[in-house]
Every structure is written in structure tokens, then in C-alpha cells.
Amino acid sequence: MGSLRKLSLYANLYWGFYPKLSLEGIHCPNLQSLTLGNFSFFEDQQLDWILSHSSTLQELYLDDCPILFRARILNDESQLAKCPLPKSRLNFQISERWSDAWHYNYPRRWNDYFASFETGLPHLRRFAIGHNEAWDSEDGWGLPFEKELDLVPGLMQDRYMEFDGGLGPSQFISPRWENEKEDWPHCDDEDREALKALYRKIKQQVDCGEFQVGCHEVADLVEVY
């Protein structure tokens, strides 16, 4: 890890929470460029891990990476074993309508992350969050390795998602589900302003014309700086 300068971590499915992956204890002292694809953020330790590379990190790309603001894990040992959070951090709820389950809420929003990047990554010179069209290959399994510069910047609606272990085949819920939009995080303005501030700080010019990619809807976009 000592000589690693560029790190790209991707998966075809959302990962980080389920299946779990902990980056704690891993440090790359010379890391200059980091790209994460389909990685789900759900606790401060993940943000702290990125910030731990503050002395070297110059580029950060977040490709279809959501914040899981809420999670519901079934009261099932096999599912609990795949959850990265201990029961001590979960809230058990008995439901007459649904299966009994453990619940978790994560209060951080993207504006918190953008503000942390602005103040905690003094050498950052390039940043992007959004969707890479390389995901949308004909076979549906494209991985945009080495295509960080093709990442189309924008604040996608899917930047916030919920995990529900009682659903399938995918347990990750998008706000495109009509009945889930009302209690979704409503912080488009805060996220947009924090992202603008980050771009101003690193003096990066971003041209975000209106666009729509596949089933991904745009919540709002940044202006040119």
C-alpha cells in the first residue's frame, strides 16, 4: 500500500453496507487519486477514511455512490451477519404489518460530506460526483474503470437511498419509488450550495448542462465556475 498512488474500487451492485466492507485499518500514505463506484456511505468512519488521506489526495471521484440514510435489517442471523453494524447501534422494532426488524438511521447528508471535503482535503484539485455513462452498456454490466474523467457531474436523485432487507432481488430502494418520496431527505438546496462551495475552493470549472441518463433523474446541477 505504501507505493499506491491511484485506487479505483467498483462493483456491479451497491456494496459497502451489504455486502459489508470496512476500510478501517487500511491506509495508503501516497494516495493521490481515489475513485469509488456503487459504494454506499452509511457511517462517519467511511468519510473519516477518505479524510485520513488529506496530506496526499488530489482527486476524488464518486460514481453512483449513495448515502444510505436509513436501513431495515431483518431479525435473521444470516442477514445480521452480513450487516456491518453491531446490534448495539441498531434499534429493534416489532411490527404488526411487517416482519420484526432492526432499524438504523444515518443523519449525515451530502452537504456535510462536501463541507468536510472542502475543509479536510487541502490538496484536492479535482472532484466529481454523478453518473458515468459507461455503466449503461448494452449488456448492463459495464464497469467504468479508468474512465473517471467521463463521469458526468450532477446531484442525482439516487444519491440518497434506503436499505430494506425484506425486499428482493435488490434491497436498495431509490426515491423513484413514488410511495417513498415524502420522507426522503429534502436538502437539494443545501447539497447544491455545499457542492458549489467545494468547487469554488478547489477552483475547478464544471459545466453541468441539463441532462438525463437512463432511469437516473437529476435533482439539480452545479453552475460553471
Side-chain angles (χ1 to χ4, degrees):
M1 292 293 185
S3 61
L4 187 66
R5 296 180 181 275
K6 182 177 181 180
L7 177 62
S8 298
L9 298 173
Y10 280 87
N12 290 323
L13 304 174
Y14 292 113
W15 60 290
F17 181 83
Y18 191 92
K20 62 183 178 181
L21 172 72
S22 176
L23 298 172
E24 190 174 7
I26 300 174
H27 186 72
C28 308
N30 292 299
L31 188 64
Q32 297 178 354
S33 178
L34 174 64
T35 304
L36 298 175
N38 267 355
F39 183 76
S40 54
F41 292 91
F42 60 90
E43 62 175 348
D44 290 351
Q45 182 272 328
Q46 298 164 306
L47 172 61
D48 294 340
W49 181 80
I50 295 177
L51 298 178
S52 71
H53 298 88
S54 60
S55 62
T56 60
L57 197 62
Q58 300 176 16
E59 300 179 355
L60 177 59
Y61 304 95
L62 303 177
D63 190 347
D64 274 358
C65 292
I67 283 180
L68 296 183
F69 73 98
R70 185 168 58 200
R72 175 175 173 265
I73 301 97
L74 298 182
N75 190 30
D76 177 84
E77 289 304 320
S78 63
Q79 190 165 115
L80 286 168
K82 298 176 184 177
C83 174
L85 300 169
K87 286 183 179 180
S88 59
R89 297 181 58 186
L90 305 177
N91 178 34
F92 185 69
Q93 296 182 14
I94 299 175
S95 173
E96 295 181 358
R97 183 179 179 184
W98 309 105
S99 301
D100 298 346
W102 298 83
H103 292 254
Y104 173 75
N105 292 281
Y106 182 50
R108 300 283 182 253
R109 301 295 179 253
W110 277 114
N111 54 82
D112 298 315
Y113 275 59
F114 298 150
S116 295
F117 296 154
E118 179 187 351
T119 59
L121 297 176
H123 302 289
L124 192 65
R125 294 295 177 267
R126 187 170 185 87
F127 174 78
I129 181 173
H131 177 78
N132 198 316
E133 292 182 352
W135 289 109
D136 307 318
S137 63
E138 293 183 0
D139 59 9
W141 294 97
L143 284 177
F145 280 119
E146 303 298 325
K147 297 181 180 180
E148 293 87 354
L149 298 182
D150 296 335
L151 179 59
V152 181
L155 296 176
M156 315 302 288
Q157 287 190 356
D158 287 357
R159 72 187 186 278
Y160 294 108
M161 301 188 78
E162 177 183 6
F163 177 88
D164 191 332
L167 297 180
S170 175
Q171 295 85 18
F172 293 87
I173 303 174
S174 162
R176 287 179 276 114
W177 289 34
E178 292 294 333
N179 62 337
E180 294 290 343
K181 287 186 176 180
E182 292 184 1
D183 58 352
W184 228 257
H186 296 285
C187 51
D188 288 348
D189 291 341
E190 294 87 345
D191 289 353
R192 182 182 64 252
E193 293 306 313
L195 185 52
K196 285 182 179 181
L198 173 59
Y199 279 131
R200 285 195 295 266
K201 174 66 177 299
I202 66 178
K203 297 181 174 59
Q204 179 180 342
Q205 290 190 347
V206 180
D207 184 359
C208 297
E210 184 176 355
F211 69 97
Q212 189 168 2
V213 183
C215 60
H216 297 265
E217 299 177 17
V218 177
D220 212 334
L221 301 174
V222 207
E223 299 172 356
V224 176
Y225 290 97

